[in-house]
Amino acid sequence: IPEQVATAIVRGAFEFQGQKCSAASRAYIPKSMWPDVEKMIRRDVDSFKMGSPEDMSNFITAVIHEGSFDKLAKYIDRAKSDAHAEVVIGGNYDKSKGWFIEPTVIVTTDPKYVTMETELFGPVITIYVYEDHQYTEMLQLVDETSEYALTGAILGQDRYAVIQATKALENCAGNFYINDKCTGAVVGKQPFGGARSSGTNDKAGSKLNLLRWISPRMIKETFVTPTDYRYPFLGE
């Protein structure tokens, strides 16, 4: 359902100004669905209140520091000028009073575009619109595009498509969500961690993580020590 996809993108990419390691930074949308999803994302972004975090009604506040602001502004400006990218929502920024980046959606025709491969750590998401019949090829693109493997999500009503994605993407997201946004793991309930350049998938928030804080030692003691190198199978 387009509204569910749009909500997952808006929450996953823009909550906390996208300053979460699990935030959605890229998304793949089928061509037939994208017009409706874009319309709903635009509706939501237009409704955002932006301002001080002291006002809990503000969905968007400033990014963490000027260095982050400048980096994000650079990538937004690049997307505005690159032939393979287009800023379709947002794209404005202002640091006259605080470091405010407007929630931004970039659409690219290049699935390996720089912001599809780079973790920006800000309220910027890049969308690649794929042909509906190229679902299988799209899953391969998802798996091979980013060096990171922390979180990912699939939204779909076709159970076979969901299972296909879950299998195809088994190595590219240590925390994988079905029909939900890719953020919000609860410590003790959803152990958290990823592999590839995201780490060694230690799963913080679970007993599995305790193995990273110990030094395993294995001891073998033999009571009947061999005195002949020959094994029984060597016999004629």
Side-chain angles (χ1 to χ4, degrees):
I1 299 175
E3 193 163 22
Q4 294 173 339
V5 175
T7 299
I9 288 173
V10 166
R11 283 185 169 180
F14 302 143
E15 277 183 338
F16 301 98
Q17 296 69 249
Q19 297 175 126
K20 298 180 71 175
C21 53
S22 58
S25 57
R26 57 188 171 117
Y28 301 76
I29 312 291
K31 189 174 183 178
S32 62
M33 183 180 288
W34 172 238
D36 288 336
V37 172
E38 180 184 12
K39 185 188 308 179
M40 292 170 184
I41 294 174
R42 189 183 307 279
R43 175 201 64 191
D44 288 346
V45 171
D46 287 344
S47 74
F48 288 169
K49 286 183 61 181
M50 181 184 293
S52 169
E54 295 175 322
D55 181 351
M56 294 299 291
S57 68
N58 288 327
F59 190 80
I60 299 293
T61 64
V63 296
I64 193 167
H65 52 51
E66 188 172 20
S68 176
F69 176 95
D70 291 344
K71 177 187 71 175
L72 292 163
K74 180 187 72 172
Y75 279 105
I76 290 172
D77 287 344
R78 177 172 173 176
K80 289 177 179 178
S81 61
D82 282 348
H84 297 299
E86 180 185 3
V87 175
V88 297
I89 297 173
N92 298 311
Y93 46 81
D94 182 4
K95 62 176 177 179
S96 59
K97 185 178 180 182
W99 301 296
F100 286 91
I101 301 284
E102 185 179 20
T104 299
V105 177
I106 299 168
V107 173
T108 182
T109 56
D110 177 8
K112 298 296 181 69
Y113 183 66
V114 61
T115 55
M116 293 290 282
E117 297 184 322
T118 305
E119 296 299 321
L120 299 182
F121 218 67
V124 179
I125 187 168
T126 305
I127 308 288
Y128 176 69
V129 180
Y130 68 91
E131 298 291 338
D132 290 45
H133 66 278
Q134 294 184 327
Y135 181 67
T136 298
E137 294 85 346
M138 181 276 298
L139 292 176
Q140 183 175 344
L141 270 177
V142 174
D143 185 49
E144 68 185 18
T145 295
S146 175
E147 66 177 299
Y148 299 102
L150 189 56
T151 64
I154 173 72
L155 285 91
Q157 295 177 306
D158 184 328
R159 200 66 195 171
Y160 292 101
V162 169
I163 292 171
Q164 182 183 355
T166 304
K167 178 63 177 175
L169 305 177
E170 63 182 352
N171 293 314
C172 71
N175 281 62
F176 191 69
Y177 298 79
I178 297 174
N179 289 324
D180 204 351
K181 62 183 174 65
C182 61
T183 66
V186 179
V187 174
K189 299 294 184 182
Q190 297 160 283
F192 189 77
R196 296 181 178 171
S197 290
S198 294
T200 51
N201 210 1
D202 298 326
K203 287 293 179 277
S206 77
K207 62 184 178 182
L208 294 174
N209 184 255
L210 295 176
L211 295 175
R212 300 295 298 174
W213 302 90
I214 63 174
S215 179
R217 183 185 185 207
M218 309 306 293
I219 298 175
K220 174 187 177 183
E221 181 177 359
T222 298
F223 293 98
V224 181
T225 306
T227 57
D228 190 336
Y229 80 91
R230 298 172 181 83
Y231 295 99
F233 64 79
L234 293 172
E236 304 221 354

